[in-house]
């Protein structure tokens, strides 16, 4: 008004014509309308809820006041009914769990799932209709009986009933503990960008409007409750103080163990047993209030003990502090209140004073790690040490500033809360414990190096599960450290405090954050563009050289703290096979993370048995592309080992040897970052030199056979492979098409693997194999030189691994003639390789039973885990059945049945890396001829085993610890 008055006087003084005056005011009004004034909705809640611990449910009534501060008239309001995310296996939550490799919820039983129902909305006392969301069952559209204009409010009320799920994600019940989170009907946020209705997700957090909460919780009297806000019941406060009495930690732990069953981790307390009809439960009603928050959570358990104190902030403000935890963990949590106070004081000094009157932390379900934040309260999962507890508390408490007070849209901009909060967690940790070692830097630099990272600005649900932590949390924190360095520590601190004061109890966007900080930068556009790019941050790429050895443990710690661009690993190495015996040597390699474009490994080994030098070596070059191929790998590898031993006529040890050189090139096809698929095309050439025994003599003195001479054979095999897989959690599969060819033969191999998940864990795998074999040239059709390359039904032995692609204890071991001085039977003779038909039996003495074909072979291999509870204790035992046929079995006068089969038990170790097979049933063809070998036809001698390095996937063994 003052500005308009001055302008009017100015125009009057200089006699500006009325038309010009009208035009001026028109432009002024247009300019004012073009500048949008910040606004946000307000939602105030009054909730009464009753917890029924017997059937894991609650009944509630919610009355909320919705204030429309927007410039728009609303005809409906989207509501989140997030307990329905746990209603069935078709929700966004369930789909995301599967995408991230977790099948626990998908295969959960009906009693372990949850939902919300009995909703009956009234708006200002008038019943209101609702509509289902077209895609998500945990979102509801409330149709307003009459439009809600700007600067108006309505009162919305509804009863609701919630059946809690087991704790699959943040909330639910388990082990006598109720984690009541995201439990009440909640309006979605409406802001300048429109409605933000969103399904519940595990990876991706929340966005809600601020308001005042008035909550009353009725539950069994013996429960201890930790909740958002300030407790209003004086008698409950006195009872809480009584819960702080000193306890005998050892005694408490023993008492707690008695309450735990041996069968499951669930507590044997009254809450876990159905109560008799008519049983009267004594209850209490607790009253909590809190202003200027956007969520409410509470936690209830009969087992909690409590520690409380007050905390004086630097301004002189005093707040109440409390921690709730289980008796058996008292030693771990004994300093938890002090940790909480340290964290609150730290963030208050760095960012802005804590605005609430209370802060608490509660020990949550120990089946889950980490923690989760809610206004004025944090829940902490499993931790292993006081230091880990301290750091986790600092992170979750810090969210009261970045999530609680500054309520950004965590779903769209996770970096604005998780990343900024991680920056302060790292600052807190460094100040208290010094610089920490960890795998985050290595894994992030690896993801960036192999082009698997994503921009910081990525929405939470679009991150891969690995990148969500590495980028939204870690890289953002490193980006802020870079920003702090550019601005200077004090300038940065003042800017962050200004950001906090400007936007506390509001919903800032990324541009609002940028506006506060960019004034302190000479090139703000370039710096903030880093939020939208991939790769390492400026001046944070690995550099320098480093040598790591097991003789210098500090070298590995230094590597974790600050990974170098070039790392050389030097270490002793050992090896073993039946002929070379123990091999001793060393390994030199730069196969470290992050990977170099050129990687090498050299492992020379001296064999104590053959008295020769053996070893392996590999060199690989990787380049990343922007086209259909995501990357190209080219390399060459070599192997040199013994594969048989014997005695010559002078009774001196002699050895068969092999040497292999394999150049290769592989193109990996591009996939979306969040895709679980893998597809590649690879070409290899195997150049093989084999020294083999060629002549034998029989000594008249003992009638035994001795080696007379050896001959060296050279061969080459060309191999082209197309491989495609989907490593999804549910029904993963892979298939491979492979063409092989040599001097006088060709082979086409088809192999597919499919896994059927079982409810409750485990599953069945199906492997299908088919091969077509042919010779080149008429003379070679019956040539023995192609014999070892022909496909067969039985799983192959070491001699039939003609590309030398797998590890064998005794590559040529077999049930040899007793009269031979070069036999090498024993355990090594029972090793097989799951290749070709894969029937798990060794009958080397009968070649016609091998199922070897000059034409074609096909087989199916079935493997299944045992049903849950079929054994009194858990063992990695499976059932297997192999069935196959081959061309010659269908010819007139065939020596075997058309189909051959083997079935039995399988013991799988090291994530299926090592498998032991016990055949129990098999074709009559095998049974008949095994009877003729009484020494071999025993249970122990029929056992076979495989060491499946050729199918080994490091991620299967190490999981997501090292996802790259």
């Amino acid at each position: 008004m003052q500005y308009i008055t001055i302008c009017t006087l100015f125009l009057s003084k200089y006699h500006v014509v009325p038309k010009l005056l009208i035009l001026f005011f028109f432009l002024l009004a247009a300019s004012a309308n073009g500048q949008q004034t910040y606004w946000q909705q307000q939602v105030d809640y009054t909730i009464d809820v009753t917890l029924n611990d017997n059937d894991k449910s609650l009944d509630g009534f919610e009355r909320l006041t919705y204030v429309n501060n927007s410039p728009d008239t609303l005809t409906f309001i989207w509501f989140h009914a997030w307990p329905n995310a746990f209603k069935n296996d078709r929700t966004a939550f369930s789909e995301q769990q599967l995408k991230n490799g977790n099948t626990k919820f998908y295969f959960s039983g009906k009693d372990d799932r949850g939902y919300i129902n009995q909703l009956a909305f009234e708006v200002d006392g008038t019943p209101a209709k609702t509509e289902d969301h077209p895609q998500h069952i945990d979102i509801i559209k409330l149709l307003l009986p009459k439009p809600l204009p700007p600067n108006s409010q309505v009162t919305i009320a509804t009863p609701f009933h919630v059946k809690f799920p087991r704790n699959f994600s943040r909330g639910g019940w388990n082990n006598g503990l109720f984690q009541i989170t995201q439990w009440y009907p909640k309006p979605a946020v409406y802001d300048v960008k429109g409605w933000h209705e969103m399904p519940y997700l595990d990876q991706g957090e929340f966005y809600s409007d601020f308001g005042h909460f008035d909550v009353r919780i009725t539950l069994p009297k013996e429960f201890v409750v930790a909740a958002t806000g300030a407790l209003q019941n004086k008698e409950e406060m006195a009872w809480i103080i009584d819960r702080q009495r000193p306890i005998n930690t050892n005694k408490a732990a023993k008492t707690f163990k008695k309450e735990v069953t041996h069968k499951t981790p669930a507590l044997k307390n009254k809450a876990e047993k159905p109560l008799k009809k008519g049983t009267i439960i004594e209850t209490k009603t607790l009253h909590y209030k809190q202003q200027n928050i956007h969520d409410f959570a509470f936690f209830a358990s009969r087992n909690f003990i409590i520690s409380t104190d007050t905390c004086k902030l630097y301004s002189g403000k005093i707040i109440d502090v409390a921690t709730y935890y289980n008796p058996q963990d008292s030693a771990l949590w004994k300093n938890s209140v002090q940790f909480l106070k340290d964290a609150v004081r730290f963030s208050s000094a760095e960012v802005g004073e804590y605005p609430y009157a209370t802060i608490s932390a509660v020990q949550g379900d120990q089946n889950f790690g980490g923690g989760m934040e809610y206004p004025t309260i944090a829940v902490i999962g499993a931790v292993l040490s006081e230091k880990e507890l301290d750091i986790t508390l600092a992170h979750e408490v810090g969210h009261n500033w970045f999530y609680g007070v500054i309520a950004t849209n965590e779903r769209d901009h996770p970096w604005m809360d998780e990343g900024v909060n991680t920056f302060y967690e790292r600052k807190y940790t460094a100040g208290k414990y010094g610089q920490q070692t960890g795998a985050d830097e290595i894994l992030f630099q690896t993801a960036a190096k192999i082009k698997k990272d994503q921009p910081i600005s990525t929405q939470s649900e679009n991150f891969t599960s690995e990148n969500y932590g590495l980028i939204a949390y870690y890289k953002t924190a490193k980006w802020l450290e870079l920003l702090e360095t550019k601005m200077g520590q004090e300038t940065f601190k003042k800017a962050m405090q200004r950001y906090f004061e400007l936007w506390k109890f509001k919903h800032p966007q990324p541009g609002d954050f940028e506006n506060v900080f960019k004034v302190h930068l000479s090139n703000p556009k370039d710096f903030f563009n880093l939020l939208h790019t991939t790769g390492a941050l400026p001046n944070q790429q690995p550099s320098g050289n480093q040598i790591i050895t097991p003789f210098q443990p500090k070298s590995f710690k230094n590597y974790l703290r600050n990974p170098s661009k070039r790392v050389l690993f030097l270490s002793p190495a050992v090896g073993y096979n039946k002929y070379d015996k123990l091999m001793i040597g060393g390994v030199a390699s730069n196969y470290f993370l992050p990977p170099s474009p050129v990687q090498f490994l050299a492992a020379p080994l001296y064999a104590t048995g053959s008295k020769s030098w053996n070893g392996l070596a590999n060199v690989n070059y990787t380049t990343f592309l922007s086209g259909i191929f995501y990357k190209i790998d080219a390399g060459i590898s070599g192997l040199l080992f013994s594969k048989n031993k014997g005695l010559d006529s002078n009774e001196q040890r002699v050895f068969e040897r092999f040497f292999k050189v394999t150049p290769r090139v592989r193109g990996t096809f591009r996939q979306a970052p969040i895709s679980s698929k893998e597809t590649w095309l690879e070409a290899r050439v195997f150049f093989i030199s084999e020294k083999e025994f060629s002549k034998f003599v029989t000594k008249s003195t003992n009638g035994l056979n001795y080696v007379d001479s050896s001959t060296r054979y050279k061969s080459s095999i060309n191999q082209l492979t197309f491989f495609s897989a989907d490593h999804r959690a549910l029904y993963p599969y892979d298939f491979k098409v492979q063409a092989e060819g040599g001097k006088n033969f060709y082979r086409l191999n088809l192999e597919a693997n499919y896994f059927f998940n079982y409810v409750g864990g485990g599953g069945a795998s199906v492997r299908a194999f088919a091969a077509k074999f042919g010779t080149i040239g008429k003379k070679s059709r019956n040539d023995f030189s192609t014999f070892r390359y022909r496909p067969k039904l039985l799983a192959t032995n070491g001699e039939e691994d003609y590309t030398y692609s797998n590890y064998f204890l005794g590559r040529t071991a077999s049930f040899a003639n007793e009269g031979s001085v070069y036999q090498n039977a024993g355990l090594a003779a029972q090793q097989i390789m799951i290749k070709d038909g894969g029937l798990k039996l060794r009958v080397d003495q009968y070649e016609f039973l091998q199922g070897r074909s000059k034409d074609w072979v096909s087989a199916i291999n079935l493997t299944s885990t045992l049903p849950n509870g079929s054994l009194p204790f858990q063992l990695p035992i499976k059932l297997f059945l192999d069935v196959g046929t081959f061309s010659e079995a269908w010819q007139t006068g065939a020596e075997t049945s058309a189909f051959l089969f083997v079935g039995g038990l399988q013991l799988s170790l090291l994530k299926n890396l090592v498998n032991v097979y016990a055949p129990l049933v098999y074709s009559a063809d095998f049974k008949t001829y095994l009877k003729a070998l009484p020494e071999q036809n025993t249970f122990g001698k029929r056992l076979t085993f495989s060491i499946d390095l050729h199918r080994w996937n490091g991620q299967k063994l190490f999981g997501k610890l090292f996802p790259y």
Side-chain angles (χ1 to χ4, degrees):
M1 178 64 99
Q2 184 180 10
Y3 177 74
I4 295 177
T5 302
I6 293 171
C7 289
T8 303
L9 292 173
F10 175 84
L11 293 171
S12 300
K13 180 179 180 180
Y14 291 98
H15 309 288
V16 178
V17 295
K19 290 184 178 179
L20 182 60
L21 183 63
I22 294 171
L23 177 61
F24 173 80
F25 281 112
F26 176 79
L27 294 174
L28 183 66
S31 175
N33 290 334
Q35 296 176 355
Q36 291 185 335
T37 303
Y38 177 81
W39 54 267
Q40 66 185 40
Q41 311 291 62
Q42 179 167 332
V43 186
D44 297 331
Y45 295 85
T46 300
I47 306 176
D48 288 271
V49 64
T50 299
L51 173 66
N52 185 337
D53 71 312
N54 190 44
D55 62 6
K56 313 293 189 299
S57 70
L58 60 77
D59 290 287
F61 186 86
E62 170 183 272
R63 185 181 301 277
L64 62 89
T65 301
Y66 188 93
V67 182
N68 181 17
N69 294 318
S70 79
D72 305 317
T73 297
L74 305 180
T75 59
F76 65 87
I77 299 174
W78 284 112
F79 266 77
H80 292 142
W82 278 335
N84 278 342
F86 305 93
K87 189 173 184 179
N88 59 46
D89 58 20
R90 298 181 300 279
T91 64
F93 162 74
S94 179
E95 292 296 324
Q96 187 187 69
Q97 289 288 89
L98 290 177
K99 185 192 75 173
N100 288 340
N102 189 335
T103 61
K104 189 175 181 180
F105 175 76
Y106 185 87
F107 288 116
S108 62
K110 181 180 179 181
D111 292 340
D112 288 340
R113 296 186 176 184
Y115 54 82
I116 184 171
N117 61 10
Q118 299 180 20
L119 298 170
F121 287 98
E122 290 186 354
V123 179
D124 288 336
T126 302
K129 296 180 180 180
T130 59
E131 291 181 358
D132 294 335
H133 190 276
Q135 185 177 359
H136 303 295
I137 64 173
D138 54 346
I139 303 174
I140 300 170
K141 179 187 280 188
L142 174 65
L143 304 176
L144 300 176
K146 60 181 181 179
L148 179 63
N151 302 314
S152 301
Q153 65 183 44
V154 292
T155 299
I156 302 171
T158 182
F160 61 96
H161 172 81
V162 175
K163 163 64 171 64
F164 298 123
R166 232 180 229 283
N167 190 356
F168 295 105
S169 170
R170 299 188 181 96
W173 63 271
N174 205 29
N175 294 351
L177 168 68
F178 289 89
Q179 295 187 186
I180 316 302
T181 64
Q182 310 304 336
W183 52 282
Y184 54 91
K186 182 191 304 184
V189 172
Y190 182 73
D191 62 17
V192 68
K193 294 185 178 181
W195 285 106
H196 294 271
E197 76 278 14
M198 56 183 72
Y200 178 90
L201 295 177
D202 185 67
Q203 179 181 301
E205 295 179 355
F206 312 116
Y207 188 35
S208 303
D209 279 314
F210 282 97
H212 308 320
F213 280 75
D214 188 330
V215 181
R216 286 174 172 83
I217 304 167
T218 300
L219 74 172
K221 189 173 183 179
E222 66 271 22
F223 270 98
V224 181
V225 175
T228 294
L231 177 63
Q232 306 295 302
N233 307 67
K234 292 183 179 180
E235 67 278 10
E236 185 73 10
M237 293 179 185
W239 186 68
I240 286 176
I241 292 174
D242 184 59
R243 295 284 295 193
Q244 297 181 84
R245 63 191 182 278
I247 64 168
N248 184 318
T249 303
N250 293 330
K251 183 179 179 181
K254 291 178 182 177
T255 301
F256 185 83
K257 287 179 181 178
K258 290 179 181 178
E259 296 176 337
V260 180
T261 68
H262 295 291
K263 197 170 185 180
T264 70
L267 293 175
K268 277 187 174 179
N269 56 34
K270 294 179 182 179
E272 300 295 334
K273 297 179 180 179
L275 296 176
K276 294 181 180 180
K277 190 175 182 179
T279 301
I280 298 175
I281 301 174
E282 191 174 0
T283 64
K284 61 185 175 184
T285 298
L286 306 181
H287 186 194
Y288 295 88
K289 287 185 176 181
Q290 186 60 62
Q291 293 186 333
N292 286 331
I293 57 173
H294 49 80
D295 201 359
F296 189 99
F298 68 97
F299 307 84
S301 171
R302 290 180 169 87
N303 299 301
F304 283 149
I305 59 172
I306 311 165
S307 294
T308 66
D309 200 354
T310 58
C311 178
K312 186 176 182 179
L313 303 182
Y314 297 107
S315 68
K317 176 181 176 180
I318 296 176
I319 65 171
D320 293 321
V321 180
T323 59
Y324 302 74
Y325 48 91
N326 293 316
Q328 79 276 15
D329 291 313
S330 295
L332 183 62
W333 280 70
K334 66 181 184 292
N335 294 316
S336 56
V337 165
Q338 185 59 52
F339 296 154
L340 212 55
K341 291 162 67 173
D342 291 346
V344 172
R345 288 194 182 109
F346 171 82
S347 292
S348 292
E350 288 288 331
V351 182
E353 185 170 83
Y354 184 71
Y356 306 116
T358 181
I359 184 72
S360 56
V362 57
Q363 185 179 23
D365 188 350
Q366 297 303 284
N367 291 321
F368 295 85
M372 184 61 200
E373 70 279 1
Y374 300 94
T376 78
I377 191 168
V379 58
I380 307 300
V383 292
L384 301 177
S385 66
E386 277 199 307
K387 177 182 173 183
E388 185 181 354
L389 175 62
D390 186 11
I391 295 172
T392 305
L393 279 169
H395 181 92
E396 302 308 337
V397 168
H399 273 301
N400 280 278
W401 283 259
F402 302 103
Y403 150 81
V405 178
I406 296 183
T408 54
N409 184 340
E410 299 179 279
R411 191 66 62 88
D412 287 348
H413 314 294
W415 70 270
M416 294 186 73
D417 73 299
E418 294 296 357
V420 177
N421 192 44
T422 300
F423 166 79
Y424 283 105
E425 175 210 317
R426 287 169 58 83
K427 186 182 284 286
Y428 174 89
T429 304
K432 202 168 186 179
Y433 299 102
Q435 188 179 9
Q436 302 297 294
T437 59
D440 288 341
E441 177 67 14
I442 294 168
L443 293 179
F444 165 67
Q445 293 290 353
T446 298
K449 194 69 176 286
I450 66 174
K451 311 297 183 183
K452 287 287 188 179
D453 63 328
Q454 295 168 273
I456 291 174
S457 59
T458 302
Q459 293 179 319
S460 58
E461 63 264 42
N462 293 331
F463 274 117
T464 66
S465 57
E466 296 85 6
N467 281 340
Y468 185 60
L470 290 178
I471 308 298
Y473 288 66
Y474 181 75
K475 185 180 181 181
T476 303
K478 297 289 286 184
W479 177 78
L480 287 168
E481 290 172 11
L482 185 62
L483 178 60
E484 183 184 45
T485 300
K486 286 182 175 292
M487 292 174 58
Q489 196 169 37
E490 283 304 312
T491 303
F492 177 89
K493 182 176 180 179
K494 291 178 181 178
M496 187 63 78
Q497 290 174 342
R498 182 169 180 266
Y499 171 67
F500 180 76
E501 285 301 318
L502 281 173
W503 289 101
K504 64 182 179 182
F505 308 125
K506 296 179 182 177
H507 304 300
Q509 299 293 324
D512 301 315
F513 182 91
E514 180 179 349
N515 287 337
V516 173
F517 287 86
K518 70 181 182 180
V519 297
H520 302 283
L521 298 172
S522 58
N523 56 341
K525 184 176 181 181
D526 291 343
F527 190 86
F528 279 90
N529 278 344
L530 294 174
L531 294 172
H532 312 293
T533 61
T534 57
L537 295 168
N539 304 317
Q540 292 188 8
Q541 297 93 336
S543 61
N545 305 308
Q546 193 172 356
I547 297 176
I548 298 177
T549 75
F551 304 111
Q552 294 180 314
K554 288 185 178 180
S555 64
F556 189 73
K557 289 184 178 180
N558 292 335
Y559 159 74
L560 288 175
R561 182 179 291 115
N562 188 22
S564 300
K565 183 177 182 179
R566 290 172 289 272
V567 179
L568 177 62
F569 177 69
L570 299 175
S571 173
V574 296
Y576 177 84
N577 66 47
K578 190 172 179 67
Y579 320 113
D580 292 310
K581 300 298 183 183
L582 179 65
M583 293 173 278
I584 303 173
V587 59
S589 176
N590 71 340
Y591 271 92
F592 259 74
L593 302 178
S596 299
V598 177
Q599 293 181 296
F600 67 87
L601 180 146
L605 299 167
Y606 181 75
T608 59
S610 62
K611 308 298 182 184
S612 60
W613 280 99
N614 296 334
L616 55 96
N618 182 67
V619 178
N620 191 77
Y621 172 75
T622 302
T623 184
F624 296 93
L625 307 174
S626 58
I628 187 173
F629 285 106
Y630 149 67
K631 67 173 180 175
I632 298 291
D633 292 284
I636 186 169
S637 60
L639 289 175
L640 174 62
F641 291 98
S642 298
K643 67 170 188 172
N644 200 354
K645 70 176 180 180
L647 294 177
D648 65 15
S649 55
N650 295 318
E651 300 199 2
Q652 298 294 313
R653 288 182 300 174
V654 290
F655 297 87
E656 290 186 332
R657 306 269 288 166
F658 76 90
F659 174 61
K660 179 183 79 167
V661 176
T662 309
R664 66 189 178 278
V665 61
R666 174 187 291 187
T668 302
F669 291 89
R670 185 173 304 281
Q671 304 287 352
I674 61 174
S675 174
S676 57
K677 294 183 179 180
E678 174 192 9
T679 306
W680 46 262
L681 181 65
E682 180 183 73
R684 288 177 179 254
V685 181
F686 300 89
F687 296 102
I688 298 171
S689 176
E690 299 167 297
K691 178 185 176 184
E692 298 185 349
F693 303 148
S694 57
K695 293 183 181 180
F696 306 94
V697 296
T698 302
K699 277 195 174 184
S700 57
T701 54
N702 56 19
L704 297 178
N705 295 324
Y706 291 83
V707 177
D708 185 49
S709 64
S710 298
T711 303
R712 183 168 296 279
Y713 300 95
K714 293 183 178 181
S715 61
S716 64
I717 300 170
N718 303 305
Q719 186 182 83
L720 182 64
T721 305
F722 176 81
F723 176 85
S724 184
D726 192 334
H727 304 295
R728 59 195 184 189
L730 197 63
Y731 311 126
Y733 68 85
D734 66 70
F735 68 90
K736 180 171 64 177
V737 181
Q738 189 175 77
E740 293 181 328
K743 181 180 179 181
N744 49 10
F745 81 96
Y746 67 88
R747 263 184 73 153
L748 180 64
N749 305 308
L750 304 175
E751 181 180 346
N753 293 274
Y754 197 94
F755 185 79
F756 293 90
N757 304 76
Y758 288 162
V759 175
S765 60
V766 179
R767 174 182 181 266
F769 174 82
K772 179 69 174 73
F773 182 84
T775 56
I776 301 172
K778 294 182 179 179
K779 293 183 179 180
S780 57
R781 174 131 183 101
N782 296 309
D783 190 349
F784 187 76
S785 64
T786 65
F787 182 80
R788 68 188 297 201
Y789 306 118
R790 298 171 190 170
K792 56 180 286 192
L793 279 186
L794 268 62
T796 56
N797 58 37
E799 182 66 15
E800 294 156 343
D801 177 22
Y802 49 81
T803 60
Y804 293 92
S805 297
N806 198 33
Y807 166 73
F808 277 85
L809 288 173
R811 185 167 289 276
T812 55
S814 64
F815 300 110
N817 188 308
E818 291 297 326
S820 172
V821 297
Y822 54 89
Q823 66 170 350
N824 49 31
L827 178 65
Q830 294 173 257
Q831 183 177 353
I832 59 174
M833 179 180 178
I834 306 305
K835 182 177 177 289
D836 289 7
L839 272 65
K840 302 168 185 73
L841 194 66
R842 288 289 291 267
V843 285
D844 296 346
Q845 296 85 346
Y846 301 107
E847 178 55 40
F848 69 92
L849 283 177
Q850 301 292 312
R852 198 182 310 274
S853 177
K854 299 178 183 178
D855 193 1
W856 59 264
V857 166
S858 64
I860 292 179
N861 310 111
L862 307 175
T863 306
S864 173
T865 57
L866 296 177
N868 288 338
S870 56
L871 293 175
F873 45 86
Q874 286 189 337
L875 281 177
I877 297 292
K878 302 177 183 179
L879 301 173
F880 77 85
L881 176 64
D882 308 318
V883 181
T885 185
F886 60 110
S887 174
E888 285 76 357
W890 296 88
Q891 296 175 359
T892 303
E895 295 182 276
T896 68
S897 302
F899 291 93
L900 298 177
F901 69 87
V902 178
L905 296 176
Q906 173 179 329
L907 173 65
S908 297
L909 306 171
L910 298 177
K911 300 291 183 71
N912 298 324
L913 179 62
V914 177
N915 294 280
V916 180
Y917 310 99
L920 300 179
V921 294
Y922 33 82
S923 298
D925 303 72
F926 298 130
K927 187 178 298 185
T928 299
Y929 289 96
L930 282 173
K931 286 182 180 180
L933 301 169
E935 292 185 2
Q936 307 301 332
N937 191 25
T938 65
F939 179 79
K941 291 295 180 67
R942 287 196 301 270
L943 293 177
T944 57
F945 70 95
S946 63
I947 304 174
D948 299 317
L949 287 176
H950 68 299
R951 284 190 59 84
W952 181 61
N953 183 334
Q955 191 168 341
K956 286 184 179 179
L957 191 59
F958 296 110
K960 293 191 175 182
L961 177 62
F962 295 106
Y964 302 110

